[in-house]
Amino acid sequence: MDRNISENLKSVRTLSIVGMCKNAGKTTVLNWLLDRSRDRILGLTSIGRDGESTDVVTGTEKPGIFVPEGTLIATAKDMLAYSDITLEIVYTTGIPTPLGEVVIVRARSAGNVQLAGPSITSQLTAVSDLFFSLGAEQVIIDGALGRKSLGARTVAESVILCTGASYDMRMEKVVSDTANVFRIMNLPKASVLPPQSEQPLEAQLRTSDAALIPGALTDSAVLPLLKSGVLRNKRLVVKDPSKVLLSPDTFDKLAVRNVALETEQAAKTLFVTVNPVSAYGWKFDPDAFKRAMQERVDVPVINVREAIQ
C-alpha cells in the first residue's frame, strides 16, 4: 500500500466505501481498514445489510466482517444474533429498520459481525455524531449498491470506490461506467453559489451565467436546454453528487458546450479498487484491468486481490 494513501486514510474522520456492484471487493477493503486500525477506536455502520456469509443475490460465499476489540458498531437489533463478538449495548438510537431498531454496541472481543444500519442520510450523520461522542476516532460507513448519496460531504468527507468484473462481462463497460460514477462523485466545488430562484431553469440561464439546481439534474431537464443553446458557457450547481442523474452521453455533451457542472458539497475519492474476478465465473486480466481503470481516473487504482492482503 502506497504510503501517501495510508497517510490520507489516517487523516480522514469519516469515510464511506461505495461499491459499483455486488462482489466488487468492498468487504475485503473494509476488513483491511479494520485490521490496520487496531490501535484506534473505530465507529462502523452500513447503509444496507452486509456481513452475511452467503450473498443473497449470487449465492456465493462472502468474507465476513471481522472487527477488533473496542470497535463501536451501529446495527439493527436482529443482526446481533448473527455476530460472535462479546458485546455491550451502549446506545439505542430509536432509528427503525425492517430488522429492528438501530443500536450502538461496543465490541468487548474481536469477532465477526453483521451490519444493517440506517438508510437515510440524516440518520447516518446522526449515528456518526454519536460515534464521535462515544470516543470513536474514525467512522467508516459500508455502502450499498447504487447509493451515490454516500458521496455527499454531509455523510462522509472521503470515499473509496470499489469496482469489479462482477459488474459486467465486458471490461470496457466496467471501466467506462466506473469512470462516469467517479467523475460525478468528484465534481468540483462551486466557489460562488448562484442565488436561489423560483424561476424555471431556462429563464434563470437567460439572465445569469449560473443556476442552482434544487433537486435532481436529469437528461429530460438538460437535453432541451442543450438544444436551445442557453446552456453554453454556463454553470450548473447541484447540492451533491447524488443529485446528478445524467447519462454519460449527456454528461459529455455538457463538456463539449463548455457547461461547468459543480456541487455545493462533495466527498473526495481517495482511491479506486478493482476486483478482476467475477462471482459469476469470468475474470479479467488483472494488469490490463488496473491499467485501463488508471487511465480514466486521477487517483490511485489498487487491485483488491493483491495489494490489500
Side-chain angles (χ1 to χ4, degrees):
M1 175 62 64
D2 184 278
R3 184 174 179 179
N4 290 333
I5 294 176
S6 295
E7 290 300 318
N8 286 339
L9 281 170
K10 193 171 182 180
S11 66
V12 169
R13 276 174 56 83
T14 52
L15 174 69
S16 62
I17 307 172
V18 179
M20 285 290 296
C21 61
K22 289 279 188 180
N23 303 105
K26 192 162 52 67
T27 304
T28 300
V29 173
L30 175 59
N31 279 325
W32 176 80
L33 290 171
L34 291 167
D35 182 67
R36 70 184 294 277
S37 301
R38 293 184 181 188
D39 59 337
R40 296 188 296 157
I41 299 175
L42 296 183
L44 175 63
T45 192
S46 173
I47 188 166
R49 184 174 178 179
D50 205 354
E52 63 270 34
S53 59
T54 303
D55 192 291
V56 295
V57 176
T58 65
T60 54
E61 291 187 5
K62 291 182 56 180
I65 297 173
F66 191 86
V67 300
E69 180 181 355
T71 304
L72 292 163
I73 303 133
T75 190
K77 273 188 176 180
D78 290 0
M79 293 296 95
L80 300 181
Y82 300 99
S83 302
D84 60 17
I85 59 171
T86 301
L87 60 87
E88 171 195 2
I89 297 178
V90 295
Y91 199 90
T92 55
T93 67
I95 297 172
T97 78
L99 295 169
E101 179 186 4
V102 174
V103 297
I104 296 180
V105 303
R106 191 186 305 274
R108 290 301 184 184
S109 67
N112 292 294
V113 299
Q114 289 198 24
L115 301 175
S119 60
I120 300 173
T121 298
S122 59
Q123 294 172 344
L124 285 168
T125 303
V127 166
S128 292
D129 290 342
L130 285 169
F131 279 144
F132 288 124
S133 72
L134 293 167
E137 297 166 74
Q138 186 179 62
V139 171
I140 300 175
I141 300 168
D142 186 31
L145 179 64
R147 295 303 295 261
K148 282 188 297 184
S149 58
L150 290 172
R153 178 81 182 194
T154 52
V155 175
E157 61 186 279
S158 295
V159 173
I160 298 171
L161 179 60
C162 305
T163 191
S166 291
Y167 182 82
D168 195 274
M169 292 184 69
R170 299 161 294 174
M171 188 174 74
E172 178 51 38
K173 170 72 172 173
V174 179
V175 171
S176 179
D177 285 5
T178 303
N180 188 60
V181 169
F182 175 85
R183 65 176 175 174
I184 290 173
M185 293 179 68
N186 291 274
L187 290 172
K189 182 178 174 64
S191 57
V192 178
L193 292 180
Q196 292 187 345
S197 173
E198 296 183 358
Q199 287 186 308
L201 185 55
E202 184 170 8
Q204 293 181 56
L205 292 168
R206 292 195 181 281
T207 59
S208 175
D209 66 352
L212 186 63
I213 313 299
L217 188 64
T218 63
D219 283 9
S220 60
V222 167
L223 289 176
L225 300 178
L226 285 171
K227 290 180 180 178
S228 72
V230 72
L231 272 179
R232 187 175 292 275
N233 300 319
K234 299 297 179 70
R235 290 192 305 128
L236 297 177
V237 182
V238 295
K239 182 177 181 182
D240 63 63
S242 69
K243 305 302 182 185
V244 180
L245 305 179
L246 301 177
S247 67
D249 181 64
T250 300
F251 206 116
D252 291 339
K253 288 177 179 176
L254 290 177
V256 169
R257 289 161 178 79
N258 201 32
V259 180
L261 188 54
E262 301 171 350
T263 181
E264 286 187 57
Q265 51 176 314
K268 177 184 178 182
T269 302
L270 294 179
F271 56 89
V272 175
T273 69
V274 293
N275 181 2
V277 179
S278 166
Y280 305 98
W282 61 83
K283 61 177 66 175
F284 300 153
D285 177 273
D287 293 333
F289 187 23
K290 179 180 176 181
R291 185 168 55 250
M293 194 72 252
Q294 188 65 81
E295 289 173 354
R296 300 290 298 274
V297 299
D298 59 0
V299 297
V301 175
I302 299 167
N303 181 340
V304 73
R305 297 181 71 88
E306 294 179 354
I308 303 178
Q309 301 293 343

